[in-house]
Amino acid sequence: MYEAAPSRPRKTNITRSRYGCKQCRQKRAKCDERKPRCSLCDRVGRTCEYPQLAYQFRNHNASTRDHNFVKIHPQRTMTVLKHKYPMDFGNSVHDSVILDFHLSAPRVRTERQLLYMTHWEKACLPALGSIFAQLSTYGDRCSILFDAILALSACNMSRTYPEFNTSQTSRDQDLTHRPHTAHFVCNQTYYNSAIRRLIGLTQDDYQNNQSSILAALLLFCYMESSVCNFRGYSCHVKGISSLLESEKEIIENEASGIELLTIWEHSKFYNWWIRVHFSTLNFQRSQNAVHLEPQRPGRHQSGSGRRATILSILCESYRISSQAYLLWWECQTSNNYHDEKYEYYNRLLYKESQRLDKWVSELDASDSATRLLSIGPSTTFNLDKASQQLQPICFATHEEALDYAYYAAARVMQCLPWEAKISSNMPSDDGVACTKSNYWMTKLLQVVQNIKHSDAVSHNVYTIGVSSLLLACILRSTSVTAGIFVEDWLNEFGKAQIFEEGSLPIAQMRAIISMINRQKRDGFDVFAISLVAEDDGGPGKFNSYHNQILDDVLIFGRESHTGHAFSKRVPLGNE
């Protein structure tokens, strides 16, 4: 009988590493695979770079003799991605990849499309709304919509799962990481494909696919806003406006038309909020009123209709409040008072307050949180004492909690710290207006305290985020305690290596709030922030999580002890 062959003797006692860094492989040295720098590279002080896994997808329709593609299985792809980029796919990922897939994407032909359509269903749809879940079934009839869905999903995936940026040596995690390059390349591929199809449309194509084309253009708008590409956003705004000029009546008569038009308003408010933050003083002064389209039947009954209404109130209240504060600063520094203009801003804010009262009155009266938020502040309310024992306000869903966060923030914006005339001095912290502002700020903190950071990141991709909401309200509050609460809340994102929320960079907002807290401790209440020079919103954060360079900013406010107006240029970062 044959016996098993004896094992071959080892030629060397060296155990080779399979996933060592590039430098150790070139030197044929033993790598201990420690990350981010192995021990050998760390000891000799050289750059340590690990090879990145590359993914190539095979088109089943292509010839099997095409050796440019490597065949991989969808389940294996999802397993590798889940191992490399920890993420929550829900329960039984590998089962849901196949089972849920055919319901929303009958056009899928390649494994790469399978990957992005799965991410679309798991991550993008919960952040966009149910209307896009219905319209995604039209992808088999409208290639533009199908490509737009894939482009948005690839863009979202590139930003959700960052990769290490070897060209950066900064200690800041948001600079040493960048959006995933491979997914970004796929995003550009699908985006260009959709644009080429859009350019080639005939008049008959427009008339037969109005809602699908409008949905695709809305996805483009959300995608451009999420990367702060404001020029690209403006281009798609012109396209939507052109489409609505000729097809608006037809779209309104379709089942999904009213919902899409409401989402169009939502998209404009979301983009306006992103753009107005981190801008110059002149840009903030030049902003026109944030209007909501005339009332459409059934708008308030839908979730997107309620969201569009509260966002319009929030944005307009923020705009009016900012201009009123800046008017006070200008009058104090020039001794040229404009009481009539200030009273005009007061009337505008009162109008927005009435709209907000109406919004609350049309909500479910049995909601206990509605009654809680509707209670007005007492004249003896103290934010610093209340912040020490915050009781979170709980909601059934994240969307409901976010709506109430918008509500409380709008109330903060509607509290001006002056008497009837701007020529009078700003009252101290025990003033009635300051008490109201601090009260609603506390309500906002109670809502935020019950919002999970993971939910804020995943659900606020295409709407105004909680982080920027807190930043805006900190500028209207004199409490240092509230500022510290917000700073601590933002620090939790850094611990989880999350770099943006609500499409704005966490690190920059954290640096600004930290600066505001330092100024408050030194006796300076900051109520406006401006860039040193206008940059048109930045070039877009395609390959990074930062859109603008914010080394220092201009701040405007009031000295808490003297009541005098001040402005100065301050650096950001640790002092």
Side-chain angles (χ1 to χ4, degrees):
M1 296 180 62
Y2 291 100
E3 295 180 357
S7 59
R8 298 177 60 183
R10 296 180 61 179
K11 297 181 179 180
T12 176
N13 292 326
I14 299 176
T15 303
R16 300 186 181 276
S17 62
R18 299 183 60 185
Y19 305 102
C21 69
K22 293 181 179 179
Q23 289 71 20
C24 288
R25 287 189 175 189
Q26 292 174 357
K27 298 292 184 180
R28 297 182 179 274
K30 178 69 170 65
C31 181
D32 62 357
E33 301 179 14
R34 193 183 71 177
K35 294 183 180 181
R37 293 165 61 92
C38 70
S39 299
L40 183 58
C41 291
D42 189 46
R43 187 172 66 253
V44 300
R46 67 189 179 197
T47 302
C48 185
E49 181 180 358
Y50 284 87
Q52 299 290 328
L53 293 179
Y55 305 103
Q56 291 180 304
F57 300 84
R58 179 179 180 271
N59 190 338
H60 284 293
N61 295 330
S63 173
T64 57
R65 292 173 294 181
D66 186 355
H67 300 291
N68 294 327
F69 295 90
V70 179
K71 182 178 180 180
I72 62 175
H73 298 286
Q75 294 185 1
R76 189 181 307 165
T77 303
M78 301 300 286
T79 303
V80 172
L81 286 176
K82 185 175 182 182
H83 174 73
K84 185 171 179 58
Y85 309 107
M87 51 187 174
D88 182 12
F89 279 101
N91 297 325
S92 188
V93 160
H94 302 135
D95 296 337
S96 63
V97 168
I98 303 300
L99 294 178
D100 297 339
F101 168 70
H102 68 283
L103 298 177
S104 62
R107 291 180 55 87
V108 171
R109 296 292 182 268
T110 67
E111 292 168 351
R112 178 168 61 184
Q113 293 173 352
L114 169 63
L115 175 67
Y116 291 132
M117 286 306 301
T118 301
H119 185 75
W120 162 262
E121 294 182 354
K122 298 292 183 181
C124 299
L125 282 181
L128 286 170
S130 59
I131 182 62
F132 285 101
Q134 302 172 18
L135 289 172
S136 60
T137 60
Y138 299 163
D140 195 37
R141 296 183 302 173
C142 183
S143 300
I144 296 175
L145 178 58
F146 183 65
D147 285 341
I149 289 173
L150 294 176
L152 183 80
S153 178
C155 178
N156 183 285
M157 207 166 185
S158 71
R159 309 197 69 80
T160 304
Y161 310 119
E163 64 182 3
F164 190 72
N165 188 1
T166 56
S167 62
Q168 291 285 351
T169 58
S170 173
R171 294 183 179 180
D172 296 332
Q173 289 183 339
D174 55 319
L175 295 179
T176 57
H177 290 77
R178 65 186 178 192
H180 197 275
T181 305
H183 296 310
F184 174 73
V185 171
C186 292
N187 158 253
Q188 294 298 295
T189 300
Y190 291 124
Y191 177 78
N192 292 334
S193 174
I195 293 298
R196 286 194 298 268
R197 295 179 189 276
L198 190 62
I199 294 175
L201 288 179
T202 64
Q203 187 63 31
D204 291 339
D205 294 330
Y206 274 108
Q207 294 178 353
N208 296 329
N209 299 281
Q210 297 97 337
S211 294
S212 297
I213 294 174
L214 177 58
L217 292 176
L218 287 174
L219 292 179
F220 290 156
C221 287
Y222 277 125
M223 185 176 64
E224 301 292 11
S225 295
S226 67
V227 296
C228 296
N229 182 19
F230 300 109
R231 293 182 180 178
Y233 178 86
S234 300
C235 177
H236 296 307
V237 166
K238 294 178 182 178
I240 293 178
S241 300
S242 176
L243 176 65
L244 295 181
E245 284 181 3
S246 58
E247 309 293 340
K248 185 175 181 179
E249 293 184 0
I250 299 177
I251 293 175
E252 287 181 336
N253 292 327
E254 294 185 1
S256 59
I258 296 296
E259 189 76 5
L260 286 175
L261 292 176
T262 303
I263 292 176
W264 165 228
E265 296 172 344
H266 179 194
S267 170
K268 290 188 289 186
F269 301 141
Y270 161 61
N271 186 79
W272 182 91
W273 184 269
I274 297 175
R275 177 64 182 91
V276 79
H277 279 74
F278 310 137
S279 58
T280 59
L281 208 61
N282 289 335
F283 182 85
Q284 298 174 32
R285 288 173 178 153
S286 64
Q287 294 304 298
N288 296 321
V290 183
H291 291 299
L292 188 67
E293 291 293 327
Q295 181 71 29
R296 298 190 182 96
R299 170 193 281 164
H300 195 82
Q301 282 69 27
S302 66
S304 60
R306 290 191 296 271
R307 176 63 59 81
T309 301
I310 189 64
L311 287 183
S312 69
I313 298 173
L314 172 65
C315 292
E316 180 64 0
S317 299
Y318 178 81
R319 183 192 72 87
I320 299 170
S321 174
S322 298
Q323 295 192 1
Y325 271 84
L326 292 175
L327 175 64
W328 177 87
W329 180 85
E330 292 174 352
C331 293
Q332 293 293 322
T333 54
S334 64
N335 292 323
N336 185 15
Y337 301 106
H338 301 278
D339 290 334
E340 298 82 4
K341 196 170 184 179
Y342 169 71
E343 291 175 1
Y344 169 72
Y345 286 138
N346 255 332
R347 290 194 299 269
L348 290 180
L349 283 179
Y350 179 71
K351 181 179 178 181
E352 295 305 312
S353 178
Q354 289 182 317
R355 290 181 61 201
L356 199 56
D357 291 338
K358 182 180 179 182
W359 182 84
V360 173
S361 66
E362 295 176 348
L363 296 176
D364 187 358
S366 62
D367 192 342
S368 59
T370 302
R371 296 195 299 269
L372 181 61
L373 287 175
S374 301
I375 300 174
S378 65
T379 56
T380 59
F381 182 79
N382 188 305
L383 174 59
D384 291 330
K385 293 181 180 180
S387 299
Q388 298 174 3
Q389 45 185 358
L390 283 177
Q391 297 296 326
I393 302 178
C394 302
F395 300 89
T397 64
H398 175 80
E399 297 303 316
E400 186 180 357
L402 196 59
D403 282 340
Y404 284 116
Y406 294 150
Y407 169 82
R411 289 296 189 194
V412 173
M413 297 297 113
Q414 294 166 6
C415 300
L416 289 181
W418 298 290
E419 302 284 339
K421 294 182 180 294
I422 196 172
S423 54
S424 60
N425 291 328
M426 188 181 294
S428 59
D429 289 352
D430 58 353
V432 176
C434 291
T435 300
K436 291 181 179 179
S437 175
N438 289 337
Y439 173 83
W440 291 115
M441 183 67 193
T442 302
K443 290 301 176 186
L444 174 61
L445 297 183
Q446 288 180 275
V447 175
V448 171
Q449 194 174 28
N450 198 55
I451 294 179
K452 296 180 180 179
H453 289 74
S454 58
D455 290 342
V457 173
S458 60
H459 288 76
N460 301 348
V461 183
Y462 307 113
T463 190
I464 295 175
V466 176
S467 304
S468 59
L469 209 62
L470 293 171
L471 172 59
C473 291
I474 283 297
L475 294 173
R476 300 293 178 264
S477 172
T478 58
S479 171
V480 179
T481 305
I484 294 175
F485 175 93
V486 174
E487 189 174 355
D488 292 340
W489 194 81
L490 290 178
N491 285 334
E492 295 299 320
F493 286 111
K495 296 178 182 178
Q497 289 192 345
I498 297 172
F499 308 121
E500 61 185 5
E501 189 262 340
S503 299
L504 286 174
I506 293 293
Q508 288 183 349
M509 288 188 288
R510 186 172 61 239
I512 289 178
I513 290 179
S514 177
M515 177 271 296
I516 293 174
N517 289 338
R518 292 195 297 268
Q519 295 295 325
K520 287 181 178 179
R521 284 192 288 264
D522 293 340
F524 298 95
D525 293 329
V526 182
F527 55 66
I529 299 175
S530 168
L531 295 182
V532 177
E534 181 59 50
D535 61 356
D536 295 326
K541 48 180 183 175
F542 302 102
N543 297 314
S544 69
Y545 291 98
H546 278 231
N547 185 46
Q548 298 164 296
I549 300 176
L550 299 182
D551 294 329
D552 47 13
V553 293
L554 299 174
I555 60 174
F556 305 84
R558 162 190 173 273
E559 296 180 12
S560 57
H561 300 298
T562 64
H564 296 158
F566 78 91
S567 65
K568 55 183 176 179
R569 184 170 177 171
V570 296
L572 294 180
N574 296 327
E575 294 182 348

